[in-house]
Amino acid sequence: MIKLHDKVFKPYLKEEEILAAVKRIASEITADYKDDTPIFVGVLNGAFMFVSDFLKAYQHPCQVSFVRLSSYQGLTSTGIVETLLDVPEDIEGRSVIILEDVIDTGRTLKKLVHLFSQTNAKEFKIASLFYKSDIYNGEYTIDYVGMEIPDTFIVGYGLDYKELGRNLREVYQLNQTTMINLVLFGKPGAGKGTQADVLKEKYNLKHISTGDVFRYNIKNGTELGKLAKSFMDRGDLVPDEVTIDMLKEEVEKNPDAAGFIFDGFPRTTAQAEALDNFLGSKDMEINATIALEADDNILVARLLERGKLSGRTDDQDEGKIRNRFDEYNQKTAPLKAYYEKQGKFHSVNGIGEISEISERLGAVVDTL
Ligand code: AMP
């Protein structure tokens, strides 16, 4: 076990395993590019060790360059990806292969694809040493993968926790001993999804959004999707039995989770009771329910804006939005009293910068 700042990490991947994965990628790329002179572009800072060992294993003509993007602060993915060091010059007509240390949600990758799609490189490939396939939601397929890993926070071999740990030769995983289960509470548009993304990285939790699960099922034309669609289209709640069963299934898919963030669930007293019973049967419990508070008019404006970007039909019509607020006021708002009675209800101001709101939420979770 090692300690970096305030967190404890346990050994996860040995140096030999990592180097074997690097060599595997190098031999695959050798087979494809040995007759070309590709430009390898390392993504700083995390990929520096990978690039170094990769180049030792790739003994054919090639060029090396680096880009620098930034999206992480501590354990938290801020969601904002900045370009700090730009694409190399002279890439016209060349084969470019990006060397990434880890691909998780795909946000950084999206920015990279965008950066390179504006150049006149001949082709553009991605090699990533580690790949969190469970949470990757990008469209680009990763061309070369060293190792698929689960969605846990790792450090070492170039990867850091708040800038420490990059010099470790092995990879370590965050050691979380106590489970944290949170309910994010708030009206549509309050920022539950955005904040869940931040919290899940920071506390190594699994995020379950019932709305997202329904949308996924609708997109894939499943029976569940067909059933939920008419309710969702009107801005009504999907019946409890359907939603509760689905939620249980999502929890059971993740037996090793260090905790869950329930986003958009529970929305009725029956759901809250079912959740308590279900968690109780697994020796688990809700530790806190955190409400993101915001004024209705601000929420309507946010949702209409989101609807333009996401294409979500329930976000494009003020009538449907107001209906969702009515559903919330009638069926979900009473849950405040339900959780207050258990001493678990916390309220947070949901207006402000995303990072400010994350800090307010973090302050609550850190007291648990
Ligand atoms: P959301 O993405 O959380 O705003 O959810 C979008 C829609 O999915 C809601 O308006 C409901 O129709 C449905 N939905 C999501 N979660 C639940 C739930 N816990 N209970 C019932 N319906 C839900």
Side-chain angles (χ1 to χ4, degrees):
M1 296 272 192
I2 53 160
K3 192 162 187 220
L4 302 174
H5 298 289
D6 55 330
K7 304 265 185 241
V8 175
F9 295 83
K10 58 186 175 192
Y12 177 46
L13 297 171
K14 293 208 177 67
E15 192 175 11
E16 305 88 82
E17 292 175 85
I18 303 165
L19 292 176
V22 174
K23 285 190 182 137
R24 240 184 347 260
I25 297 185
S27 58
E28 284 174 31
I29 297 183
T30 301
D32 294 345
Y33 288 91
K34 60 180 183 312
D35 302 324
D36 198 340
T37 306
I39 305 184
F40 293 116
V41 179
V43 184
L44 291 175
N45 292 338
F48 74 92
M49 270 206 200
F50 169 39
V51 173
S52 165
D53 285 330
F54 172 84
L55 291 172
K56 287 181 217 161
Y58 189 91
Q59 292 294 308
H60 294 277
C62 63
Q63 263 176 248
V64 190
S65 185
F66 292 92
V67 287
R68 187 161 180 223
L69 305 172
S70 147
S71 76
Y72 277 94
Q73 282 174 2
L75 297 174
T76 310
S77 173
T78 58
I80 300 158
V81 182
E82 256 185 288
T83 313
L84 304 169
L85 188 70
D86 226 333
V87 292
E89 287 173 11
D90 304 337
I91 65 170
E92 183 172 349
R94 306 289 299 277
S95 303
V96 174
I97 301 166
I98 297 287
L99 300 178
E100 255 285 30
D101 43 329
V102 57
I103 288 180
D104 43 37
T105 59
R107 228 175 313 194
T108 310
L109 179 60
K110 194 169 173 195
K111 176 87 185 186
L112 283 168
V113 172
H114 179 71
L115 267 179
F116 283 89
S117 66
Q118 293 170 330
T119 68
N120 39 18
K122 179 171 80 181
E123 63 174 344
F124 171 76
K125 298 272 155 142
I126 302 277
S128 187
L129 177 55
F130 303 119
Y131 174 45
K132 296 184 180 176
S133 54
D134 289 349
I135 56 162
Y136 179 65
N137 56 24
E139 285 155 22
Y140 195 94
T141 33
I142 320 298
D143 305 288
Y144 303 96
V145 172
M147 228 181 258
E148 286 197 22
I149 59 168
D151 178 24
T152 53
F153 191 85
I154 53 169
V155 292
Y157 198 73
L159 291 115
D160 72 311
Y161 168 52
K162 291 194 199 163
E163 292 307 325
L164 293 184
R166 294 195 195 276
N167 58 334
L168 298 165
R169 304 169 77 107
E170 313 201 315
V171 168
Y172 291 74
Q173 198 174 36
L174 183 65
N175 187 39
Q176 194 157 301
T177 45
T178 46
M179 201 175 199
I180 304 175
N181 297 306
L182 304 174
V183 171
L184 273 187
F185 200 69
K187 286 186 184 162
K192 299 188 293 292
T194 307
Q195 293 300 333
D197 276 347
V198 176
L199 288 174
K200 74 169 188 201
E201 292 284 346
K202 185 162 182 192
Y203 298 100
N204 189 26
L205 306 175
K206 175 78 196 159
H207 172 203
I208 300 181
S209 154
T210 40
D212 283 351
V213 180
F214 282 134
R215 281 184 287 279
Y216 177 86
N217 277 278
I218 291 175
K219 198 169 138 200
N220 290 287
T222 66
E223 283 309 310
L224 177 64
K226 284 178 204 152
L227 187 71
K229 191 171 184 322
S230 59
F231 297 98
M232 290 178 71
D233 280 346
R234 290 191 298 269
D236 292 343
L237 291 187
V238 177
D240 280 340
E241 318 80 75
V242 178
T243 314
I244 291 168
D245 283 349
M246 180 185 87
L247 189 277
K248 288 182 182 170
E249 214 174 284
E250 290 298 309
V251 171
E252 287 185 332
K253 276 186 202 162
N254 295 281
D256 299 327
F260 293 89
I261 301 175
F262 299 103
D263 157 10
F265 188 97
R267 264 171 151 107
T268 62
T269 307
Q271 289 180 14
E273 286 166 353
L275 182 62
D276 276 350
N277 290 335
F278 172 64
L279 293 181
S281 74
K282 300 187 163 301
D283 240 356
M284 290 160 61
E285 62 166 353
I286 293 297
N287 302 94
T289 294
I290 313 179
L292 283 166
E293 309 280 1
D295 177 76
D296 279 11
N297 292 330
I298 292 180
L299 295 178
V300 171
R302 273 192 199 170
L303 288 169
L304 290 171
E305 201 50 41
R306 180 171 86 179
K308 278 190 221 155
L309 298 173
S310 70
R312 264 180 72 170
T313 48
D314 59 346
D315 283 347
Q316 292 177 10
D317 172 335
E318 185 161 344
K320 288 180 189 171
I321 292 175
R322 297 271 178 200
N323 183 42
R324 280 149 73 204
F325 289 178
D326 289 344
E327 287 278 78
Y328 179 92
N329 290 333
Q330 282 171 30
K331 298 176 182 163
T332 311
L335 292 182
K336 180 177 175 190
Y338 180 91
Y339 285 110
E340 265 172 349
K341 216 160 131 194
Q342 299 186 1
K344 292 179 181 167
F345 190 82
H346 305 260
S347 182
V348 156
N349 176 3
I351 306 290
E353 293 286 323
I354 292 175
S355 59
E356 271 169 20
I357 302 169
S358 310
E359 273 173 35
R360 291 173 201 151
L361 288 163
V364 174
V365 179
D366 288 339
T367 63
L368 298 175

Short mmCIF file of all heavy atoms in Angstrom, two decimals, residues 210-211 214-215 231-232 236-238 243 264-265 267 271 312 314 324, ligand 1:
data_model
loop_
_atom_site.label_atom_id
_atom_site.label_comp_id
_atom_site.label_asym_id
_atom_site.label_seq_id
_atom_site.Cartn_x
_atom_site.Cartn_y
_atom_site.Cartn_z
N THR A 210 -31.25 6.50 -13.97
CA THR A 210 -32.37 5.72 -14.54
C THR A 210 -32.81 6.34 -15.88
O THR A 210 -33.16 5.61 -16.80
CB THR A 210 -33.55 5.64 -13.55
OG1 THR A 210 -33.72 6.90 -12.91
CG2 THR A 210 -33.30 4.58 -12.52
N GLY A 211 -32.75 7.68 -15.97
CA GLY A 211 -33.10 8.33 -17.24
C GLY A 211 -32.18 7.85 -18.36
O GLY A 211 -32.64 7.52 -19.46
N PHE A 214 -33.04 4.28 -19.36
CA PHE A 214 -34.23 4.27 -20.23
C PHE A 214 -33.87 4.73 -21.66
O PHE A 214 -34.27 4.12 -22.64
CB PHE A 214 -35.33 5.18 -19.67
CG PHE A 214 -36.09 4.57 -18.53
CD1 PHE A 214 -36.35 5.30 -17.37
CD2 PHE A 214 -36.59 3.27 -18.60
CE1 PHE A 214 -37.07 4.76 -16.32
CE2 PHE A 214 -37.30 2.72 -17.55
CZ PHE A 214 -37.54 3.46 -16.40
N ARG A 215 -33.12 5.83 -21.75
CA ARG A 215 -32.77 6.35 -23.09
C ARG A 215 -31.94 5.33 -23.87
O ARG A 215 -32.13 5.15 -25.07
CB ARG A 215 -32.02 7.70 -22.98
CG ARG A 215 -32.97 8.87 -22.73
CD ARG A 215 -32.24 10.20 -22.72
NE ARG A 215 -31.44 10.38 -21.54
CZ ARG A 215 -31.93 10.80 -20.36
NH1 ARG A 215 -33.19 11.12 -20.25
NH2 ARG A 215 -31.13 10.94 -19.32
N PHE A 231 -44.27 7.15 -21.76
CA PHE A 231 -44.27 7.94 -20.51
C PHE A 231 -43.27 9.07 -20.61
O PHE A 231 -43.56 10.22 -20.27
CB PHE A 231 -43.92 7.05 -19.31
CG PHE A 231 -44.92 5.95 -19.06
CD1 PHE A 231 -44.70 4.66 -19.52
CD2 PHE A 231 -46.09 6.23 -18.36
CE1 PHE A 231 -45.61 3.66 -19.29
CE2 PHE A 231 -47.01 5.22 -18.12
CZ PHE A 231 -46.78 3.93 -18.60
N MET A 232 -42.08 8.72 -21.07
CA MET A 232 -41.01 9.73 -21.12
C MET A 232 -41.36 10.84 -22.09
O MET A 232 -41.09 12.01 -21.84
CB MET A 232 -39.69 9.08 -21.49
CG MET A 232 -39.16 8.21 -20.37
SD MET A 232 -37.65 7.39 -20.79
CE MET A 232 -36.47 8.72 -20.80
N ASP A 236 -44.03 12.16 -18.20
CA ASP A 236 -44.59 11.45 -17.04
C ASP A 236 -43.55 10.49 -16.48
O ASP A 236 -42.62 10.09 -17.18
CB ASP A 236 -45.81 10.61 -17.45
CG ASP A 236 -46.99 11.48 -17.85
OD1 ASP A 236 -46.98 12.68 -17.51
OD2 ASP A 236 -47.91 10.95 -18.51
N LEU A 237 -43.76 10.06 -15.26
CA LEU A 237 -42.87 9.05 -14.70
C LEU A 237 -43.23 7.68 -15.27
O LEU A 237 -44.40 7.38 -15.51
CB LEU A 237 -42.98 8.99 -13.18
CG LEU A 237 -42.45 10.19 -12.40
CD1 LEU A 237 -42.47 9.89 -10.90
CD2 LEU A 237 -41.04 10.57 -12.83
N VAL A 238 -42.22 6.85 -15.45
CA VAL A 238 -42.42 5.46 -15.86
C VAL A 238 -42.93 4.73 -14.60
O VAL A 238 -42.52 5.06 -13.48
CB VAL A 238 -41.07 4.88 -16.35
CG1 VAL A 238 -41.19 3.42 -16.72
CG2 VAL A 238 -40.53 5.71 -17.53
N THR A 243 -39.44 0.59 -13.14
CA THR A 243 -38.23 1.33 -12.79
C THR A 243 -37.46 0.64 -11.67
O THR A 243 -36.23 0.54 -11.72
CB THR A 243 -38.61 2.76 -12.36
OG1 THR A 243 -39.53 3.27 -13.30
CG2 THR A 243 -37.40 3.66 -12.31
N GLY A 264 -31.64 10.43 -10.40
CA GLY A 264 -32.97 10.28 -11.00
C GLY A 264 -33.75 9.13 -10.38
O GLY A 264 -34.79 8.74 -10.90
N PHE A 265 -33.25 8.58 -9.33
CA PHE A 265 -33.90 7.48 -8.60
C PHE A 265 -33.51 7.60 -7.14
O PHE A 265 -32.34 7.83 -6.87
CB PHE A 265 -33.45 6.12 -9.15
CG PHE A 265 -34.22 4.97 -8.56
CD1 PHE A 265 -35.30 4.43 -9.24
CD2 PHE A 265 -33.86 4.45 -7.32
CE1 PHE A 265 -36.02 3.37 -8.68
CE2 PHE A 265 -34.59 3.40 -6.77
CZ PHE A 265 -35.66 2.86 -7.46
N ARG A 267 -37.70 8.43 -7.28
CA ARG A 267 -38.53 9.57 -7.63
C ARG A 267 -39.91 9.49 -6.98
O ARG A 267 -40.71 10.39 -7.18
CB ARG A 267 -38.70 9.66 -9.14
CG ARG A 267 -37.73 10.61 -9.84
CD ARG A 267 -37.90 10.39 -11.33
NE ARG A 267 -37.63 11.51 -12.15
CZ ARG A 267 -36.55 11.63 -12.93
NH1 ARG A 267 -35.60 10.75 -12.89
NH2 ARG A 267 -36.45 12.66 -13.75
N GLN A 271 -40.53 3.97 -4.60
CA GLN A 271 -39.16 3.68 -5.07
C GLN A 271 -38.16 3.81 -3.92
O GLN A 271 -37.23 3.01 -3.80
CB GLN A 271 -38.76 4.63 -6.20
CG GLN A 271 -39.50 4.36 -7.51
CD GLN A 271 -39.08 5.31 -8.63
OE1 GLN A 271 -38.08 6.02 -8.55
NE2 GLN A 271 -39.87 5.32 -9.70
N ARG A 312 -32.75 15.80 -27.04
CA ARG A 312 -33.76 15.15 -26.18
C ARG A 312 -35.09 15.87 -26.35
O ARG A 312 -35.21 17.04 -26.05
CB ARG A 312 -33.32 15.25 -24.70
CG ARG A 312 -32.60 14.04 -24.22
CD ARG A 312 -32.21 14.19 -22.77
NE ARG A 312 -33.36 14.11 -21.86
CZ ARG A 312 -33.24 14.02 -20.54
NH1 ARG A 312 -32.05 14.02 -19.99
NH2 ARG A 312 -34.31 13.96 -19.78
N ASP A 314 -37.84 15.56 -24.69
CA ASP A 314 -38.50 16.03 -23.46
C ASP A 314 -37.87 17.32 -22.93
O ASP A 314 -38.39 17.94 -22.01
CB ASP A 314 -38.53 14.94 -22.37
CG ASP A 314 -37.16 14.43 -21.96
OD1 ASP A 314 -36.18 14.71 -22.67
OD2 ASP A 314 -37.07 13.76 -20.92
N ARG A 324 -42.84 17.73 -16.10
CA ARG A 324 -41.86 17.00 -15.29
C ARG A 324 -41.70 17.67 -13.92
O ARG A 324 -41.52 17.00 -12.92
CB ARG A 324 -40.52 16.89 -16.03
CG ARG A 324 -40.55 15.78 -17.09
CD ARG A 324 -39.67 16.10 -18.26
NE ARG A 324 -38.26 15.98 -17.99
CZ ARG A 324 -37.31 16.62 -18.68
NH1 ARG A 324 -37.65 17.43 -19.68
NH2 ARG A 324 -36.06 16.45 -18.40
P1 AMP B 1 -34.09 12.11 -16.38
O1 AMP B 1 -33.05 11.87 -17.41
O2 AMP B 1 -33.67 11.67 -15.00
O3 AMP B 1 -34.62 13.53 -16.40
O4 AMP B 1 -35.34 11.17 -16.75
C1 AMP B 1 -36.04 11.31 -17.95
C2 AMP B 1 -37.36 10.57 -17.88
O5 AMP B 1 -37.14 9.19 -17.63
C3 AMP B 1 -38.31 11.03 -16.79
O6 AMP B 1 -39.05 12.16 -17.18
C4 AMP B 1 -39.17 9.78 -16.63
O7 AMP B 1 -40.10 9.65 -17.68
C5 AMP B 1 -38.16 8.66 -16.80
N1 AMP B 1 -37.56 8.30 -15.49
C6 AMP B 1 -36.25 8.41 -15.13
N2 AMP B 1 -36.06 8.00 -13.87
C7 AMP B 1 -37.26 7.60 -13.40
C8 AMP B 1 -37.73 7.08 -12.16
N3 AMP B 1 -36.90 6.89 -11.13
N4 AMP B 1 -39.04 6.78 -12.06
C9 AMP B 1 -39.87 6.95 -13.08
N5 AMP B 1 -39.53 7.47 -14.26
C10 AMP B 1 -38.24 7.78 -14.44
#
